[in-house]
């Protein structure tokens, strides 16, 4: 069986999460809408804690970058996600500023978007405060799927849901694009473990 580390595989995972609402407590994390609230509890942080992805538990904290990382882990597994996101073991990549630095250190940070890139946004002071996944680009707009946003136009850095957004390519709050090194071709998927019959 062949497995490819592609932008389309990532986007398929992210699209399935549109409509997910953050939770007011640490229950019903797998439901898209139950127990909704504004305390930043999500299945994304829970799952990455179980996987040992970060340097600690991120549930109860702003989760836009956690959502991006979760989509990569769900699509490709922990090791490939770290490689694609340029992140080390016990990553600080739940923070947007750190994630952007990881790409920059690997010379994979750009000013023009491609499908599958991680988009970064800054506030009026220039601090990197929000992120998402680029799912489409045309001559005018970049289209994103973001965690912890809302349907309100513009950057919403703590909005409570997974949603689709669009921004003019010249939008002054875009800080840059981290470009994962997706595979140019499919790679063999590991063989399954034999079972005893």
């Amino acid at each position: 069986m062949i497995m490819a580390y592609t932008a389309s595989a990532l986007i398929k995972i992210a699209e399935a999460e549109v409509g997910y609402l953050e939770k007011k407590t640490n229950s019903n994390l797998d439901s898209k809408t139950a127990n909704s609230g504004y305390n930043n509890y999500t299945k994304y942080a829970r799952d990455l804690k179980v996987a040992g992805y970060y340097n600690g538990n991120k549930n109860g904290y702003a989760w836009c970058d956690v959502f991006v990382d979760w989509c990569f882990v769900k699509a490709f597994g922990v090791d490939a996600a770290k490689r694609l996101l340029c992140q080390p073991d016990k990553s600080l990549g739940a923070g947007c500023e750190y994630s952007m630095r990881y790409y920059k250190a690997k010379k994979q940070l750009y000013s023009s978007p491609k499908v599958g890139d991680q988009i970064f946004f800054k506030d009026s002071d220039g601090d990197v405060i929000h992120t998402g996944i680029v799912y489409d680009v045309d001559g005018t707009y970049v289209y994103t799927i973001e965690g912890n946003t809302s349907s309100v136009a513009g950057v919403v850095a703590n909005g409570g849901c997974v949603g689709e957004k669009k921004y003019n390519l010249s939008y002054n709050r875009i800080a840059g694009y981290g470009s994962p090194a997706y595979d140019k071709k499919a790679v063999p998927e590991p063989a399954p473990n034999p079972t005893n019959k």
Side-chain angles (χ1 to χ4, degrees):
M1 193 168 188
I2 300 295
M3 178 178 180
Y5 302 126
T6 63
S8 59
L10 173 74
I11 291 164
K12 182 177 180 182
I13 296 293
E15 286 175 336
E17 297 303 310
V18 170
Y20 182 90
L21 302 176
E22 75 178 51
K23 312 306 176 192
K24 62 185 172 186
T25 64
N26 209 8
S27 67
N28 295 107
L29 297 180
D30 291 309
S31 170
K32 270 197 173 178
T33 57
N35 192 32
S36 64
Y38 294 100
N39 288 328
N40 289 315
Y41 288 99
T42 67
K43 68 179 182 179
Y44 312 119
R46 176 204 61 200
D47 292 352
L48 294 182
K49 179 185 177 200
V50 169
Y53 193 87
Y54 295 124
N55 64 334
N57 181 20
K58 303 304 178 189
N59 230 338
Y61 295 92
W63 53 278
C64 59
D65 211 331
V66 173
F67 169 73
V68 171
D69 295 349
W70 182 91
C71 289
F72 274 84
V73 169
K74 184 82 169 167
F76 310 121
V78 170
D79 292 339
K82 287 178 187 173
R83 177 180 58 80
L84 290 165
L85 293 163
C86 303
Q87 294 184 15
D89 289 338
K90 301 301 180 188
S91 169
L92 300 173
C96 299
E97 184 75 41
Y98 286 102
S99 286
M100 193 166 150
R101 285 184 205 163
Y102 291 141
Y103 283 112
K104 188 174 184 179
K106 297 281 188 175
K107 299 183 178 0
Q108 291 176 223
L109 185 68
Y110 301 97
S111 58
S112 297
K114 296 187 304 296
V115 171
D117 280 357
Q118 183 172 358
I119 186 172
F120 294 98
F121 299 95
K122 58 189 174 183
D123 63 15
S124 58
D125 294 327
D127 295 325
V128 179
I129 53 137
H130 190 61
T131 191
I133 296 167
V134 174
Y135 75 87
D136 199 8
V137 181
D138 62 26
T140 306
Y141 296 104
V142 57
Y143 301 85
T144 64
I145 301 172
E146 301 166 26
N148 207 9
T149 192
S150 78
S151 59
V152 175
V155 175
V156 178
N158 198 10
C161 76
V162 177
E164 294 179 334
K165 309 275 292 239
K166 74 175 184 178
Y167 304 90
N168 194 289
L169 289 168
S170 62
Y171 184 48
N172 66 357
R173 299 274 303 272
I174 297 173
Y177 301 92
S179 188
Y182 294 108
D183 290 336
K184 305 256 188 291
K185 60 182 181 177
V187 296
E189 188 173 277
N193 292 330
T195 57
N196 295 327
K197 293 188 179 182

